[in-house]
């Protein structure tokens, strides 16, 4: 790990970016503050392979399941800051509900993993050979 910058320098950078040093950062030990801030800044406030907005919507979805009220609040508000609409936030939460439900079901019935993997390979090959995936129309109220 690179040599850490002095705490005062890191805190000034946090203050410059956020307007204050959140109290949870004040509790991070000096030896790792620079490292933690660098990661936090990169993954929460910078575009990476994913856009800032996409990452925040993923955070909304994840923490609707983990039920961490701190993270749910953070990711929802930062998603809005980066332009997420209420519809996108709701969609992320509904997707989390949907995919967690399938996980619960598949694990609950103890679906054979090898069979699942082989069937998925067949599905991917079949769908990949199609000119396009057909749009699925869902009736209102369904």
């Amino acid at each position: 790990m690179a040599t850490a910058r002095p705490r005062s320098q890191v805190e000034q950078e946090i203050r410059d970016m956020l307007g204050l040093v959140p109290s949870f950062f004040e509790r991070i030990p000096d030896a790792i503050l620079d490292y933690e801030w660098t990661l936090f800044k990169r993954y929460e406030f910078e575009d990476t392979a994913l856009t800032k907005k996409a990452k925040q919507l993923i955070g909304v979805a994840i923490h609707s399941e983990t039920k961490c009220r701190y993270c749910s609040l953070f990711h929802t508000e930062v998603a809005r800051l980066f332009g997420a609409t209420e519809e996108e936030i709701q969609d992320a939460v509904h997707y989390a509900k949907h995919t967690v439900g399938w996980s619960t079901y598949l694990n609950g019935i103890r679906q054979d993993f090898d069979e699942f993997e082989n069937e998925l390979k067949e599905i991917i090959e079949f769908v990949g050979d199609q000119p396009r995936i057909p749009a699925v129309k869902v009736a209102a109220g369904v």
Side-chain angles (χ1 to χ4, degrees):
M1 183 183 324
T3 303
R5 294 177 293 165
R7 179 175 206 94
S8 60
Q9 185 180 352
V10 176
E11 286 183 343
Q12 186 59 53
E13 184 177 301
I14 295 170
R15 201 172 292 105
D16 290 345
M17 186 167 174
L18 304 180
L20 59 87
V21 177
S23 57
F24 62 88
F25 275 111
E26 292 174 355
R27 299 177 72 176
I28 296 174
D30 292 352
I32 61 171
L33 176 63
D34 192 19
Y35 174 76
E36 290 294 340
W37 167 245
T38 298
L39 289 176
F40 186 87
K41 180 176 57 172
R42 174 170 169 73
Y43 288 107
E44 303 302 342
F45 293 105
E46 296 175 4
D47 287 331
T48 57
L50 295 171
T51 65
K52 298 177 291 224
K53 183 171 96 171
K55 288 187 285 188
Q56 295 309 315
L57 289 169
I58 291 168
V60 168
I62 289 169
H63 297 296
S64 65
E65 172 56 22
T66 67
K67 297 167 186 58
C68 173
R69 67 185 191 160
Y70 304 98
C71 295
S72 291
L73 177 61
F74 176 86
H75 291 291
T76 300
E77 294 305 317
V78 176
R80 287 182 181 127
L81 176 69
F82 293 144
T85 64
E86 290 306 310
E87 183 179 16
E88 289 171 319
I89 291 167
Q90 289 298 316
D91 199 40
V93 172
H94 281 97
Y95 181 75
K97 176 190 77 75
H98 165 78
T99 193
V100 168
W102 278 105
S103 176
T104 301
Y105 177 71
L106 292 168
N107 281 286
I109 65 169
R110 299 186 60 162
Q111 175 67 32
D112 180 87
F113 185 81
D114 293 333
E115 180 179 38
F116 180 87
E117 183 178 31
N118 289 332
E119 291 172 348
L120 179 59
K121 286 177 185 176
E122 285 184 46
I123 291 167
I124 296 299
E125 185 177 319
F126 176 81
V127 172
D129 289 342
Q130 303 305 307
R132 67 175 180 81
I133 297 175
V136 177
K137 296 195 185 232
V138 179
V142 175

